[in-house]
Amino acid sequence: MTEDNTESRTEDRTTSGTTNGATDGTGNRKDDHVRHAVDQQHSGPDAGRPSDHAAGDFDAVNFVHHALAGIDRDSVELAVKTPAGTWQAPLYINGMTGGSAGTGKINRELAVAAREAGIPIASGSMSAYLRDPSLASTFRVLRDENPDGVVIANLNANADADQARRAVALLEADALQIHLNALQEIVMPEGDRDFAAWPARIETITAAVEVPVIVKEVGFGLSLNTVRRLRELGVAAADVGGRGGTNFARIENNRRSRGDYAFLQSWGQSTPCCLLDTAGVDGIGVFASGGVRSALDVARALALGATAVGVAGRFLGVLVEQGTAALVDEIADWLEALRRLMTVLGTPTPADLTCCDLLLTGQVAAFCQARGIDPAPYSTRSTRT
């Protein structure tokens, strides 16, 4: 997944049996992350729905049904213009893994699925490759299996400009993700503890690489203040990466021998709340990920202002348990369901979903009240457009 560590620590020993700071433990850690991420897909009451209640925040965002709004399905077009180019659909496979033999095989199959479905794919953190170039093939496979598709490289915010250029070059990447994972690092036994240089590094990388830079959270959300700051740093798009999907605080706590950071498992804002918080910010694209369970959640995120929506844990679970063909079918089913939802809603393009009437209830409405956001206008948007 999009995790990273740059400083070895000697605080603890992971459950995989590798001592902190051991270079040969990277592969075990990567494999641990995949195993725990797949396990989270089955921890909730429904398959593919993590137990974190923030995933339910999508259910607090409901379309007002207008029975005569429907249009011809054949008039619906899924293509979107993003800061990272024009994509065939507003859906992408978000950064997951790489850095071990096992995760290299997963990346190969994810790349095949992205190629067959015609959607972009992001790499997991490539810092393992930068430390050990022999791991290059576990990431390069994303481009080898998907030579004409949109491939996005991924690093954490401790990278320097040269490392960013190397990561982009390895994948011949169309864009670069920089992931923000301070909370994960804090819980990670061998994680980093210094994040002061991140803004300056992001600004330097953005100026140094020749592709658009997307900054994403790994599951704890981006606030309005953060997205505004990213815009100032020259970032092309922000992926809000909200709480509700794969929970890296929980994963890292599971790797600790004492499991003593369980109190952080509910940290952060959900994806719908992040989208509401950052609505109206100009000069930077906004993507959504975190807790996306279905095509309906994709439509909800687009209606809340996201340009495109990323999925990681759900697709990983399908791949690991059912295989590549099943994942290709799953993505195709999502895209067809999204097209049909847009048909009923009367929205010929994904951008038109922002004109749909939405009822915001539950914890999402409570978040709006706490942040000074009026939810009422969302329910009458169609009458004003």
Side-chain angles (χ1 to χ4, degrees):
M1 313 296 283
T2 52
E3 84 303 324
D4 193 18
N5 67 290
T6 56
E7 295 294 331
S8 299
R9 304 288 173 176
T10 57
E11 297 178 3
D12 203 351
R13 183 180 296 271
T14 68
T15 57
S16 62
T18 59
T19 55
N20 298 331
T23 302
D24 59 4
T26 298
N28 287 334
R29 177 167 56 84
K30 299 281 188 176
D31 293 336
D32 280 349
H33 287 164
V34 170
R35 176 169 55 84
H36 287 304
V38 172
D39 286 346
Q40 284 189 22
Q41 293 299 306
H42 300 285
S43 60
D46 302 306
R49 298 191 180 192
S51 60
D52 187 337
H53 68 80
D57 277 3
F58 273 110
D59 294 331
V61 179
N62 291 291
F63 290 97
V64 176
H65 178 58
H66 298 300
L68 292 177
I71 57 175
D72 183 350
R73 177 204 172 279
D74 291 340
S75 69
V76 174
E77 175 56 60
L78 294 183
V80 291
K81 292 183 178 180
T82 80
T86 298
W87 296 354
Q88 294 181 34
L91 183 68
Y92 59 101
I93 300 176
N94 220 340
M96 295 198 205
T97 195
S100 71
T103 58
K105 292 178 181 178
I106 290 174
N107 271 347
R108 179 183 301 277
E109 301 310 312
L110 289 171
V112 170
R115 181 191 71 211
E116 295 302 309
I119 64 173
I121 183 170
S123 166
S125 173
M126 297 174 66
S127 294
Y129 151 69
L130 295 173
R131 292 191 298 271
D132 183 357
S134 70
L135 298 173
S137 63
T138 70
F139 298 99
R140 172 66 197 186
V141 68
L142 292 170
R143 176 56 75 190
D144 291 340
E145 294 292 342
N146 190 18
D148 300 319
V150 176
V151 177
I152 303 171
N154 183 302
L155 289 172
N156 95 335
N158 278 313
D160 60 31
D162 180 66
Q163 290 172 326
R165 285 189 288 260
R166 287 171 57 196
V168 170
L170 179 69
L171 299 189
E172 300 174 62
D174 301 281
L176 173 66
Q177 272 188 351
I178 301 175
H179 66 267
L180 306 180
N181 65 334
L183 197 70
Q184 180 194 3
E185 294 281 358
I186 287 295
V187 181
M188 188 188 301
E190 68 275 38
D192 195 12
R193 302 294 184 262
D194 183 0
F195 315 109
W198 280 9
R201 287 184 178 269
I202 290 171
E203 187 172 33
T204 298
I205 290 171
T206 299
V209 297
E210 297 181 354
V211 296
V213 171
I214 304 163
V215 173
K216 73 178 296 291
E217 241 290 350
V218 303
F220 306 100
L222 296 180
S223 66
L224 174 61
N225 290 355
T226 304
V227 172
R228 284 174 171 167
R229 183 75 185 278
L230 292 174
R231 179 184 60 187
E232 294 170 359
L233 298 175
V235 171
D239 179 344
V240 298
R243 184 164 66 89
T246 303
N247 188 322
F248 277 103
R250 179 176 164 190
I251 286 176
E252 296 300 346
N253 192 54
N254 287 341
R255 296 179 61 243
R256 299 181 71 90
S257 60
R258 297 186 300 276
D260 47 344
Y261 277 74
F263 58 85
L264 289 178
Q265 290 182 14
S266 295
W267 188 277
Q269 298 86 251
S270 70
T271 301
C273 290
C274 291
L275 292 172
L276 288 160
D277 201 32
T278 59
V281 178
D282 296 325
I284 185 170
V286 175
F287 296 164
S289 64
V292 178
R293 306 157 301 176
S294 67
L296 177 57
D297 287 347
V298 174
R300 287 161 164 162
L302 295 171
L304 288 172
T307 301
V309 181
V311 180
R314 170 66 181 175
F315 288 169
L316 177 65
V318 173
L319 174 67
V320 170
E321 297 183 352
Q322 301 178 48
T324 310
L327 178 56
V328 173
D329 289 343
E330 178 90 354
I331 296 171
D333 288 346
W334 280 42
L335 293 177
E336 176 57 25
L338 176 61
R339 188 183 296 273
R340 294 186 185 191
L341 287 169
M342 292 169 61
T343 299
V344 171
L345 291 165
T347 53
T349 72
D352 291 326
L353 285 163
T354 59
C355 299
C356 289
D357 298 331
L358 297 174
L359 296 178
L360 307 179
T361 62
Q363 291 298 315
V364 171
F367 174 87
C368 288
Q369 182 178 12
R371 292 288 284 172
I373 301 166
D374 184 2
Y378 283 87
S379 69
T380 57
R381 295 191 299 184
S382 66
T383 63
R384 302 193 306 274
T385 57

Short mmCIF file of all heavy atoms in Angstrom, two decimals, residues 7 34 38 42 84 112 117 137 163 212 220 276 313 348 377:
data_model
loop_
_atom_site.label_atom_id
_atom_site.label_comp_id
_atom_site.label_asym_id
_atom_site.label_seq_id
_atom_site.Cartn_x
_atom_site.Cartn_y
_atom_site.Cartn_z
N GLU A 7 13.42 6.40 8.37
CA GLU A 7 14.36 6.33 9.47
C GLU A 7 14.12 5.04 10.25
O GLU A 7 13.02 4.75 10.65
CB GLU A 7 14.19 7.53 10.42
CG GLU A 7 14.54 8.86 9.78
CD GLU A 7 15.99 8.97 9.43
OE1 GLU A 7 16.82 8.34 10.11
OE2 GLU A 7 16.31 9.68 8.47
N VAL A 34 -0.20 -6.04 2.88
CA VAL A 34 -1.19 -6.62 1.99
C VAL A 34 -2.11 -7.55 2.74
O VAL A 34 -3.34 -7.51 2.60
CB VAL A 34 -0.51 -7.35 0.82
CG1 VAL A 34 -1.53 -8.16 0.02
CG2 VAL A 34 0.19 -6.35 -0.10
N VAL A 38 -6.16 -6.92 3.19
CA VAL A 38 -7.19 -7.85 2.72
C VAL A 38 -8.07 -8.29 3.89
O VAL A 38 -9.29 -8.38 3.76
CB VAL A 38 -6.54 -9.07 2.04
CG1 VAL A 38 -7.60 -10.13 1.71
CG2 VAL A 38 -5.84 -8.63 0.75
N HIS A 42 -12.86 -7.91 5.34
CA HIS A 42 -13.82 -8.87 5.87
C HIS A 42 -14.14 -8.63 7.33
O HIS A 42 -14.81 -9.43 7.95
CB HIS A 42 -13.28 -10.30 5.71
CG HIS A 42 -13.02 -10.65 4.30
ND1 HIS A 42 -14.02 -10.94 3.40
CD2 HIS A 42 -11.86 -10.72 3.59
CE1 HIS A 42 -13.50 -11.19 2.21
NE2 HIS A 42 -12.19 -11.06 2.31
N ALA A 84 -4.11 15.55 -14.42
CA ALA A 84 -3.13 14.57 -14.91
C ALA A 84 -3.51 14.04 -16.28
O ALA A 84 -3.11 12.95 -16.67
CB ALA A 84 -3.00 13.42 -13.92
N VAL A 112 -2.51 -5.55 -15.28
CA VAL A 112 -3.32 -6.21 -16.30
C VAL A 112 -4.78 -5.76 -16.19
O VAL A 112 -5.44 -5.45 -17.20
CB VAL A 112 -3.21 -7.74 -16.17
CG1 VAL A 112 -4.24 -8.43 -17.07
CG2 VAL A 112 -1.80 -8.20 -16.52
N ALA A 117 -9.34 -2.79 -18.22
CA ALA A 117 -10.48 -1.92 -17.88
C ALA A 117 -10.33 -0.52 -18.45
O ALA A 117 -11.31 0.24 -18.49
CB ALA A 117 -10.63 -1.85 -16.36
N SER A 137 11.93 -4.20 -10.58
CA SER A 137 10.98 -4.95 -11.39
C SER A 137 9.61 -5.08 -10.72
O SER A 137 8.60 -5.22 -11.41
CB SER A 137 11.52 -6.34 -11.70
OG SER A 137 11.69 -7.10 -10.49
N GLN A 163 15.29 11.72 -6.41
CA GLN A 163 14.55 10.48 -6.20
C GLN A 163 13.21 10.52 -6.92
O GLN A 163 12.77 9.51 -7.50
CB GLN A 163 14.34 10.25 -4.70
CG GLN A 163 15.62 9.90 -3.95
CD GLN A 163 15.42 9.88 -2.46
OE1 GLN A 163 14.62 10.67 -1.91
NE2 GLN A 163 16.14 9.00 -1.76
N PRO A 212 2.55 16.11 -13.72
CA PRO A 212 1.72 16.66 -12.64
C PRO A 212 1.95 15.91 -11.33
O PRO A 212 2.17 14.70 -11.31
CB PRO A 212 0.28 16.45 -13.14
CG PRO A 212 0.41 16.28 -14.61
CD PRO A 212 1.72 15.61 -14.85
N PHE A 220 -6.51 9.23 6.33
CA PHE A 220 -6.89 10.04 7.47
C PHE A 220 -7.44 11.40 7.04
O PHE A 220 -7.85 12.20 7.87
CB PHE A 220 -5.71 10.21 8.43
CG PHE A 220 -5.13 8.89 8.85
CD1 PHE A 220 -3.98 8.39 8.26
CD2 PHE A 220 -5.77 8.10 9.79
CE1 PHE A 220 -3.47 7.16 8.62
CE2 PHE A 220 -5.27 6.87 10.16
CZ PHE A 220 -4.11 6.39 9.57
N LEU A 276 -16.59 17.78 1.38
CA LEU A 276 -17.41 18.92 1.79
C LEU A 276 -16.53 20.04 2.35
O LEU A 276 -16.78 21.23 2.10
CB LEU A 276 -18.44 18.48 2.82
CG LEU A 276 -19.58 17.64 2.27
CD1 LEU A 276 -20.26 16.85 3.38
CD2 LEU A 276 -20.60 18.53 1.55
N GLY A 313 -8.32 -0.92 -1.45
CA GLY A 313 -8.58 -2.11 -0.66
C GLY A 313 -9.62 -3.03 -1.26
O GLY A 313 -9.44 -4.26 -1.30
N PRO A 348 -25.20 13.70 -18.09
CA PRO A 348 -24.45 13.12 -19.20
C PRO A 348 -22.95 13.02 -18.97
O PRO A 348 -22.28 12.23 -19.63
CB PRO A 348 -24.75 14.06 -20.37
CG PRO A 348 -25.38 15.26 -19.79
CD PRO A 348 -25.90 14.93 -18.45
N PRO A 377 -28.16 23.97 1.09
CA PRO A 377 -28.08 24.25 -0.35
C PRO A 377 -27.80 23.04 -1.22
O PRO A 377 -28.15 23.03 -2.41
CB PRO A 377 -26.95 25.28 -0.44
CG PRO A 377 -26.95 25.95 0.89
CD PRO A 377 -27.28 24.86 1.86
#
